[in-house]
């Protein structure tokens, strides 16, 4: 068989099988034949063009001048790479089969039957999808892939090596054996050669050859018989036609045109909604707590712009959450603009004025705002605590948490769940497998970690519960408006209650969420002990003293508890409040720089002899008065740490109410790093752009570049260039850059001067310079 001829046409490998699959098949979608992608775009309907722009929004920014410019942009390497990254596994396999089937053809197009034979499945749906996103166009000979697709996917589509026609004659000892002779040749192969064939058959097609030994001899045997070809020093490449024959005419081990099935379990939808509502309500309570905590004591901003590890641990401890959950909570607050780096001389993360506005809204509106912030945020909270660039640990609220691709993972996960019936709870493993099928070009490990994290965060948010998508999550997945999400959340979240149940063990049970003044009072006078269907609150001496420090009296605390409880105030609770109040303020602190006075001289004598207070430098100036050089606030904290219960007073003896002024970041000074976002291309904007493209003046449509190298004598090339200048025609030229690489350019020469060609290329009207001696050839369009 002559070298250069395909030894194993993909149709010949399985003709009978293909004929059997063709019989009785559903009718394929027919597409009008076109000369180029630009010609194909002209024949599309307005709806199809709008769908193309929505599927590839980068084509619409900035708006192309006309359909020819749109076609040129759709064939650039960057745009094609973005489009390929959005393909699922089935479409990617179809693209690889299309490339392999079209490369031997002079027209650059492939027969659908050849693609089907290589794929081992009906490619109609996949090819239609590729056509819709502009990665192929239909020529009279069949589907024609955009040229940049081969550049992006590389020289080995489907793990196949070079074709026999591409093997340099000086490196090929003989032609590959015929399909009929190949089994006998393989059977006669020595063990080392057979081992090489087994390792290269399904890719990668290039293997390393040692300088000596059995493997070296086996590789030499394969090269001598045309099964492999040299590929650089110390490497061999399995010839493509041989690999296809060894694979049985298939390009992949198993066609994955259809998405893998999800392993579902049935869950009662009503239970899902109740659990999701409880999770969403807990989220709002945690955000309230975070705002209160960081209002009273804002954490410092590290020089890296992140939150300190100790501050994150303190937040986790105060809100009773695991550190990853607390990191996600802080990131969510930042995404929703509830907290920000205040940009002061000593920067800190403080609540914003928006936090107070958000707090005043209904529970549904509050959840809708934070849910949309999570959905649109380019920050991946699950990265907190991992090793970032340079080996440094990623800190919460820092720049290293940014990973814009996580938005696409959220959309993929929730939309997969939204496609299932209500109450379907797929396993995380099957969801991960489905998402990796949707994004085959993404790093599998990174995508798996992101998918698991999104499922976990969706559960914390209330978008999922018990593994199933809730009504709230379904609204997010379908892009519901804020008003619709708020209305849905108001109907899902448990309604707030206006009472508690006081218990004799110094606990209070809130049978539902507490909002408004009662919620703020109970957070002040008690601490959360456990959450669930009902919240258990613990009243202690410390929590009661916190209320007294805020200006409440014992009678006011007891009266408010009595009014708010459906049960009587237990006697132990009454004793606790009054005992704490009786001790509270027995010792009063003022500034002399600071003084301590007490009617009980024994108490002052105890303070003077307490070694724990030696740092205060106390000195008695009267039987009932001590003075100190410490600041009054510091002295109060020292006494409390020593087990005393002082109360601070002003110069005229009035008790100071320890109620700190809420600290808020000023919007004009806040230096939180803005999240760069692009406006979403809407369907209306796409239709408007299509109308503008239709109205643009027509210009000649360039055909596909000729296959093979552009060559010719310098005289022929110069003649073509001068004719193009005089007739204002476009040409394909081959041009060698300074590194010796040759590329093709579609240009319209304007003038030739001094060995230089000035031409217009692409969408721009600006002239570009081409050196005449670097033009390797030219061909008319």
């Amino acid at each position: 068989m002559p070298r250069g001829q395909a030894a194993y046409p993909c149709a010949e490998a399985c003709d009978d099988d293909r004929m059997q699959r063709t019989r009785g098949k559903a009718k394929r979608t027919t597409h009008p034949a076109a000369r180029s992608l630009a010609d194909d775009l002209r024949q599309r309907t307005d709806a199809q063009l709008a769908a193309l722009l929505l599927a590839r929004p980068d084509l619409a920014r900035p708006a192309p001048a006309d359909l020819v410019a749109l076609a040129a942009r759709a064939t650039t390497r960057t745009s094609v790479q973005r489009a390929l990254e959005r393909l699922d596994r089935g479409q990617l396999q179809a693209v690889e089969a299309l490339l392999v089937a079209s490369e031997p053809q002079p027209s650059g197009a492939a027969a659908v039957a050849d693609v089907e034979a290589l794929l081992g499945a009906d490619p109609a749906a996949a090819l239609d999808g590729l056509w819709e996103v502009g990665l192929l166009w239909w020529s009279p000979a069949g589907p024609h892939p955009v040229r940049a697709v081969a550049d992006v996917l590389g020289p080995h589509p489907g793990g196949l090596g070079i074709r026999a026609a591409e093997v340099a004659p000086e490196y090929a000892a003989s032609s590959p054996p015929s399909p009929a002779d190949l089994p006998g040749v393989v059977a006669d192969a020595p063990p080392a050669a057979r081992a090489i064939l087994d390792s290269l058959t399904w890719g990668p097609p290039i293997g390393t050859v040692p300088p000596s030994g059995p493997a070296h001899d086996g590789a030499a045997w394969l090269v001598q018989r045309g099964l492999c070809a040299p590929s650089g020093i110390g490497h061999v490449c399995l010839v493509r036609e041989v690999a296809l024959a060894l694979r049985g005419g298939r390009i992949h081990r198993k066609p994955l045109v259809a998405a893998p099935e999800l392993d579902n379990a049935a869950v009662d939808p009503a239970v899902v909604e109740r659990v999701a509502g409880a999770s969403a309500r807990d989220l709002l309570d945690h955000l309230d707590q975070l705002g209160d905590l960081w209002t009273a004591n804002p954490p410092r901003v590290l020089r890296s712009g992140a939150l300190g590890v100790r501050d994150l641990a303190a937040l986790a401890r105060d809100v009773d959450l695991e550190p990853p959950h607390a990191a996600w909570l802080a990131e969510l607050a930042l995404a929703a603009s509830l907290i920000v780096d205040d940009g002061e001389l000593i920067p800190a993360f403080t609540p914003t004025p928006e936090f107070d506005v958000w707090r005043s809204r209904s529970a549904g509106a509050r959840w809708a705002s934070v849910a949309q912030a999570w959905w649109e945020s380019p920050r991946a909270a699950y990265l907190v605590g991992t090793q970032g660039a340079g080996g440094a640990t990623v800190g919460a609220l820092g720049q290293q948490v940014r990973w814009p691709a996580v938005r696409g993972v959220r959309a993929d996960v929730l939309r997969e769940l939204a496609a299932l019936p209500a109450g379907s709870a797929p396993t995380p493993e099957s969801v991960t497998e489905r998402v990796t099928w949707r994004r085959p070009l993404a790093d599998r490990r990174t995508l798996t970690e992101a998918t698991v994290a999104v499922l976990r965060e969706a559960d914390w948010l209330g978008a999922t519960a018990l593994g199933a998508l809730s009504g709230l999550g379904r609204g997010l997945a379908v892009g519901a408006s804020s008003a619709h999400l708020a209305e849905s959340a108001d109907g899902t979240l448990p309604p707030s209650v206006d009472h508690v149940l006081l218990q004799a063990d110094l606990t209070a049970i809130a049978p539902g969420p507490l909002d408004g003044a009662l919620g703020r009072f109970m957070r002040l006078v008690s601490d959360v002990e456990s959450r669930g269907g009902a919240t258990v609150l613990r009243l202690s001496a410390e929590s009661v003293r916190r209320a007294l420090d805020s200006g409440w009296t014992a009678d006011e605390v007891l009266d408010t508890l009595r009014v708010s409880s459906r049960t009587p105030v237990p006697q132990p609770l009454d004793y606790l409040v009054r005992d704490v109040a009786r001790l509270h303020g027995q010792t009063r602190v003022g500034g002399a720089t600071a003084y301590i006075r007490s009617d009980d001289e024994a108490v002052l004598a105890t303070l003077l002899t307490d070694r724990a207070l030696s740092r205060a430098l106390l000195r008695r100036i009267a039987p009932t008065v001590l003075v100190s050089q410490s600041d009054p606030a510091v002295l109060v904290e020292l006494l409390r740490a020593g087990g005393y219960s002082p109360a601070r007073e002003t110069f005229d003896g009035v008790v100071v109410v320890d109620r700190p002024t809420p600290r808020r970041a000023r919007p004009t000074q806040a230096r939180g790093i803005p999240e760069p976002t692009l406006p979403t291309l809407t369907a209306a904007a796409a239709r408007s752009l299509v109308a503008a493209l239709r109205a643009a003046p027509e210009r000649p449509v360039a055909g596909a570049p000729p296959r093979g190298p552009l060559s010719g004598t310098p005289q022929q090339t110069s003649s073509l260039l001068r004719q193009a200048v005089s007739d204002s025609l476009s040409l394909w030229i081959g041009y060698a850059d300074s590194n010796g690489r040759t590329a093709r350019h579609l240009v319209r020469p304007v003038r030739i001067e001094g060995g230089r060609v000035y031409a217009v290329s692409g969408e721009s009207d600006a002239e570009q310079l081409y050196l005449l001696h670097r033009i390797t050839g030219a061909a008319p369009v």
Side-chain angles (χ1 to χ4, degrees):
M1 182 176 295
R3 184 178 295 116
Q5 181 177 349
Y8 307 99
C10 57
E12 188 176 350
C14 46
D15 280 336
D16 296 339
D17 184 49
R18 187 199 318 158
M19 293 297 294
Q20 293 176 3
R21 287 195 302 269
T22 305
R23 295 190 185 100
K25 189 172 298 179
K27 185 178 180 180
R28 289 189 174 95
T29 304
T30 58
H31 300 276
R35 297 177 301 164
S36 64
L37 180 61
D39 192 23
D40 177 271
L41 295 179
R42 286 180 173 179
Q43 299 180 42
R44 298 195 185 199
T45 65
D46 289 355
Q48 290 169 340
L49 285 175
L52 170 63
L53 295 174
L54 291 173
R56 296 173 65 178
D58 58 292
L59 300 181
R61 301 187 184 97
D66 51 26
L67 290 175
V68 176
L70 177 63
R73 188 175 299 173
T75 56
T76 60
R77 181 185 177 94
T78 302
S79 181
V80 168
Q81 182 170 358
R82 290 174 179 171
L84 288 173
E85 289 173 352
R86 299 187 182 100
L87 298 183
D88 58 42
R89 177 70 66 182
Q91 292 172 329
L92 184 62
Q93 288 187 347
V95 165
E96 293 174 333
L98 177 61
L99 287 177
V100 173
S102 63
E103 282 187 1
Q105 307 302 325
S107 64
V112 176
D114 292 342
V115 177
E116 182 175 359
L118 287 169
L119 192 60
D122 186 1
L127 293 177
D128 288 342
L130 296 173
W131 175 81
E132 289 171 1
V133 297
L135 291 177
L136 64 83
W137 47 276
W138 289 84
S139 70
H144 191 298
V146 172
R147 185 170 299 276
V149 171
D151 297 336
V152 174
L153 292 182
H156 305 300
L160 294 173
I162 60 175
R163 295 184 293 118
E166 298 173 343
V167 179
E170 61 270 22
Y171 294 126
S174 63
S175 300
S178 66
D181 297 337
L182 180 64
V185 174
V186 173
D188 295 338
R194 183 63 195 179
I196 294 175
L197 286 178
D198 292 340
S199 62
L200 300 183
T201 295
W202 292 102
I206 297 178
T208 303
V209 180
S212 61
H216 180 274
D217 298 338
W221 189 91
L222 293 172
V223 172
Q224 291 172 358
R225 284 154 182 79
L227 302 181
C228 287
S231 179
I233 299 175
H235 296 82
V236 293
C237 178
L238 184 63
V239 175
R240 178 175 298 184
E241 290 81 358
V242 175
L244 282 174
L246 294 175
R247 295 181 183 187
R250 305 286 177 84
I251 191 172
H252 300 102
R253 289 180 185 269
K254 181 180 179 182
L256 299 175
V257 177
E261 295 293 332
L262 293 175
D263 186 9
N264 292 325
V267 184
D268 187 355
V271 177
V272 171
E273 295 302 314
R274 287 199 299 270
V275 176
S279 298
R281 192 69 205 213
D282 286 344
L283 170 63
L284 300 183
D285 291 342
H286 290 145
L287 288 172
D288 272 332
Q289 284 184 272
L290 183 148
D292 290 337
L293 291 168
W294 288 7
T295 293
N297 188 22
R300 293 275 298 274
V301 179
L302 301 180
R303 282 192 292 180
S304 64
L307 180 69
V309 175
R310 291 183 180 179
D311 292 320
L312 178 61
L315 174 64
R317 182 178 61 253
D318 292 337
V319 297
D320 194 23
L321 296 175
E322 294 295 324
H325 196 169
W328 175 78
L329 185 71
E331 287 287 345
L332 182 61
L334 181 68
S337 299
L338 303 181
I339 60 170
V340 73
D341 176 355
D342 60 9
E344 299 290 346
L345 183 62
I346 302 178
F349 290 109
T350 59
T352 64
E354 176 63 24
F355 174 73
D356 299 312
V357 177
W358 174 83
R359 210 175 202 178
S360 65
R361 296 173 182 160
S362 67
R366 282 184 286 159
W367 184 88
S369 64
V370 297
Q372 285 192 320
W374 174 77
W375 179 258
E376 299 170 359
S377 173
R379 304 178 64 84
Y382 76 92
L383 296 176
V384 174
T386 62
Q387 295 296 316
T393 302
V394 177
L397 309 183
Q399 269 292 86
Q400 288 186 305
V401 184
R402 278 184 52 84
W403 187 50
V406 74
R407 290 178 291 200
V409 180
R410 294 188 191 114
D412 287 347
V413 171
L414 262 64
R415 286 168 185 166
E416 289 293 344
L417 298 179
L420 301 174
S424 299
T427 62
E429 294 77 13
S430 63
V431 174
T432 300
E433 194 65 27
R434 177 71 71 89
V435 173
T436 53
W437 181 87
R438 294 284 183 199
R439 295 172 174 263
L441 293 180
D443 180 71
R444 186 177 182 89
R445 178 179 177 182
T446 301
L447 189 57
T448 299
E449 292 175 352
T451 302
V452 173
V454 167
L455 288 171
R456 182 172 62 246
E457 292 173 3
D459 189 67
W460 292 338
L461 185 71
T464 62
L466 305 178
L469 191 69
S470 67
L472 301 177
R474 197 172 299 274
L476 275 178
V478 301
S481 64
S482 298
H484 181 81
L485 285 175
E487 182 181 357
S488 177
D490 280 327
T492 302
L493 270 65
S496 59
V497 296
D498 58 357
H499 65 278
V500 295
L501 304 174
L502 297 176
Q503 306 294 309
D505 59 352
L506 300 181
T507 60
I509 297 178
L514 298 175
D515 279 338
L518 178 57
R520 290 191 293 272
F521 171 73
M522 293 306 297
R523 283 195 297 270
L524 179 66
V525 80
S526 63
D527 298 307
V528 176
E529 189 169 82
S530 66
R531 300 180 185 273
T535 303
V536 179
L537 306 169
R538 169 68 62 181
L539 291 96
S540 62
E542 183 180 355
S543 65
V544 172
R545 193 191 71 202
R546 188 168 63 229
L548 298 177
D549 288 341
S550 299
W552 291 74
T553 65
D555 290 336
E556 289 173 340
V557 170
L558 291 172
D559 288 343
T560 304
L561 290 173
R562 189 174 295 109
V563 171
S564 304
S565 176
R566 295 288 176 87
T567 59
V569 177
Q571 192 176 46
L573 180 57
D574 185 277
Y575 286 167
L576 173 67
V577 174
R578 297 195 183 278
D579 287 345
V580 173
R582 185 176 67 255
L583 297 174
H584 185 266
Q586 264 193 352
T587 305
R588 302 192 174 190
V589 176
T593 52
Y595 65 85
I596 303 174
R597 69 180 182 88
S598 175
D599 295 333
D600 191 346
E601 297 181 16
V603 172
L604 297 183
T606 303
L607 295 178
L608 286 170
T609 59
D610 193 340
R611 296 184 62 181
L613 302 178
S614 60
R615 291 176 297 170
L617 301 177
L618 298 176
R619 185 171 64 90
R620 176 175 287 189
I621 60 173
T624 59
V625 180
L626 300 179
V627 294
S628 171
Q629 294 182 355
S630 301
D631 184 82
V634 174
L635 189 55
V636 169
E637 294 300 325
L638 284 173
L639 291 173
R640 288 177 178 170
Y644 304 97
S645 298
R648 188 174 174 183
E649 68 177 14
T650 61
F651 180 77
D652 55 0
V654 178
V655 175
V656 175
V657 176
D658 194 9
R659 187 179 300 157
T661 302
R663 182 175 175 179
R664 294 290 181 265
R666 288 173 286 181
T668 56
Q669 291 187 356
R671 60 184 178 117
I673 300 173
E675 302 290 356
T677 57
L678 287 174
T680 303
L681 182 67
T682 62
R687 290 193 296 269
S688 176
L689 180 55
V690 169
L693 295 175
R694 294 288 192 198
E698 294 284 342
R699 64 175 173 175
V701 181
R707 299 185 66 84
L710 294 175
S711 60
T713 65
Q715 294 77 11
Q716 293 173 334
T717 301
S718 178
S719 175
L720 276 174
L721 290 171
R722 295 187 185 280
Q723 180 182 356
V725 170
S726 63
D727 297 338
S728 189
L729 300 176
S730 295
L731 292 176
W732 286 103
I733 65 171
Y735 192 77
D737 61 13
S738 58
N739 295 320
R741 291 189 295 266
T742 302
R744 301 183 185 198
H745 301 271
L746 177 62
V747 300
R748 180 172 59 82
V750 178
R751 65 185 189 277
I752 303 175
E753 297 176 354
R756 295 176 174 87
V757 179
Y758 296 88
V760 175
S761 175
E763 300 179 37
S764 174
D765 292 330
E767 292 183 359
Q768 298 185 17
L769 173 65
Y770 297 90
L771 299 177
L772 186 59
H773 68 275
R774 289 188 176 179
I775 299 178
T776 61
V781 174

